[in-house]
Amino acid sequence: MWKDDQGVMNPIKQLLGGLSPAQFITEYWQKKPLLIRNAWPEFQDPFTPEEIAGLACESEVEARLIQEIQGKWQVRHSPFQEEDFLTLPDTHWTLLVQDAEKHAPDLATLLEPFRFIPDWRIDDLMISYAPQYGSVGPHVDDYDVFLLQGQGQRRWQINTQPATTENLLPDSEMRILRDFHAEQEWVLKGGDMLYLPPRIAHYGVALEPCLTYSIGFRAPSHAGLVSSFADYVLEHLDSKARYTDPDLTTQDNPGEIASASVAKCKALLNRHLNSTDDNINDWFGRYMTEPKPLFGASPASPPVSDIELRTYLAQGGALERNPGSRFAYVKQGNQTKLFIDGQAFTLGALLGFMAPLLCRYRVLTQAVLFPVIQQSAAFDLLLEWVNEGYWVIYEDE
């Protein structure tokens, strides 16, 4: 981690190569690549390659092992056994571990500097380890990504021309390109970083054993958004409501669907799908904070009492956000709606301050929680969310 002259962490300094977040978003975000040398000064790998391999052996961890064999790409999925790594060759393979920060909560600090992009857009931290010549092939992704280099060196090549479906290798889940011609090329060393917008073809090859940290962003598909909203509308419809036509008129041919009937259905669909801003806010907040499978919060056991929580905080304890939980909020007039893991909590004018506070901080100390502690209703809500598992007390071992 880097710190400023006062010893306080500065998450933006140097990260964007001297650009402010506003400049970066205006000039580069979803527009063009950006190479940043020494983006993270004196970066230290939080994991060793052996620890990453150990993580990939755990049953609940999503990991992939990509091996290049005589120009062919082989993909294997977790869980892995120790023997899987012992039998690998010395070169031409890569291990990818998804959602690393959810399995190792301390890694969430690697995401912190990137929170100038809204939290609901951040997906996960993926860690990759590769020996010399390790790669996942030239490929395209549908999301933005920051590629932060740890130990070792990796050569990155990119091509900004649109990738066609015909150029993808058949049956390749990695979306590997059949033909790839580099337009630009860089070698990244520890602390260097490359930002890539969606659908920029890229090809990374380890020049020596190396670790790369991919900060990936969510890009919901139109189909997923529409499908989710339709499900939300269905949940709120009266299941007993039926199509009616008391104004039906006779027609010459019984097989004709009259324009009046089509207009009536169109009006019905418009009435239900053209929802109010409040409904859109509620649906979108719930949808975008739904946790990934296996990462939902688990209730505290045994439950924490009011006195226990107050004492814990007074003694210097801190609450940490459940690493798999997602928080967001929207303002609706005098009310604020807080979303946690797909659940919506409507906070009135007196409690609305809790939403931006809880969404901003991943670690809650007594000092941060001072305004919450002063209001019994606010503290009761916090206690409820602690016992739901959205905030966690990690006891020292």
Side-chain angles (χ1 to χ4, degrees), residues 92-112:
H92 291 86
W93 57 269
T94 299
L95 175 65
L96 305 173
V97 176
Q98 300 284 157
D99 296 296
E101 83 289 356
K102 300 178 182 66
H103 298 289
D106 288 348
L107 294 180
T109 56
L110 296 186
L111 298 179
E112 198 67 25

Side-chain angles (χ1 to χ4, degrees), residues 130-353:
Q132 189 177 30
Y133 306 128
S135 176
V136 300
H139 67 285
V140 293
D141 297 313
D142 287 327
Y143 51 82
D144 303 83
V145 63
F146 288 93
L147 300 162
L148 175 64
Q149 187 61 34
Q151 74 171 56
Q153 299 184 74
R154 183 183 290 272
R155 183 186 69 232
W156 286 103
Q157 298 174 316
I158 67 168
N159 185 299
T160 58
Q161 300 305 308
T164 63
T165 303
E166 292 75 18
N167 194 26
L168 296 177
L169 290 178
D171 303 321
S172 170
E173 66 178 77
M174 301 296 294
R175 302 181 70 185
I176 295 175
L177 299 172
R178 190 191 311 273
D179 297 311
F180 176 82
H181 304 285
E183 293 179 348
Q184 299 181 70
E185 176 180 312
W186 309 278
V187 173
L188 271 63
K189 298 181 292 185
D192 292 343
M193 186 168 70
L194 177 63
Y195 162 73
L196 294 175
R199 300 199 61 76
I200 296 291
H202 50 289
Y203 185 19
V205 178
L207 302 183
E208 58 188 352
C210 72
L211 289 165
T212 302
Y213 302 82
S214 302
I215 296 88
F217 291 79
R218 306 169 72 189
S221 69
H222 289 187
L225 290 170
V226 172
S227 175
S228 173
F229 182 63
D231 290 340
Y232 175 86
V233 171
L234 288 173
E235 290 176 5
H236 294 81
L237 282 180
D238 179 0
S239 62
K240 297 180 181 179
R242 292 288 185 270
Y243 176 93
T244 60
D245 52 1
D247 53 351
L248 181 68
T249 59
T250 59
Q251 56 191 55
D252 292 335
N253 191 316
E256 179 186 5
I257 298 177
S259 59
S261 299
V262 175
K264 187 181 291 290
C265 284
K266 180 179 179 181
L268 184 149
L269 292 173
N270 285 338
R271 184 170 75 251
H272 291 302
L273 295 178
N274 290 343
S275 294
T276 64
D277 287 347
D278 286 352
N279 282 348
I280 295 292
N281 286 339
D282 187 72
W283 156 72
F284 194 69
R286 292 173 184 268
Y287 178 60
M288 295 312 302
T289 60
E290 289 180 357
K292 289 185 177 181
L294 303 180
F295 292 121
S298 299
S301 180
V304 180
S305 70
D306 180 296
I307 295 176
E308 288 174 331
L309 182 55
R310 290 183 184 274
T311 301
Y312 172 75
L313 293 171
Q315 292 177 345
L319 302 177
E320 296 188 33
R321 185 184 298 186
N322 172 50
S325 289
R326 289 172 169 160
F327 283 60
Y329 72 95
V330 295
K331 294 181 178 179
Q332 297 175 304
N334 293 327
Q335 293 185 333
T336 301
K337 187 165 284 190
L338 174 65
F339 301 95
I340 310 175
D341 287 4
Q343 303 298 312
F345 303 90
T346 301
L347 307 177
L350 292 178
L351 298 179
F353 75 94

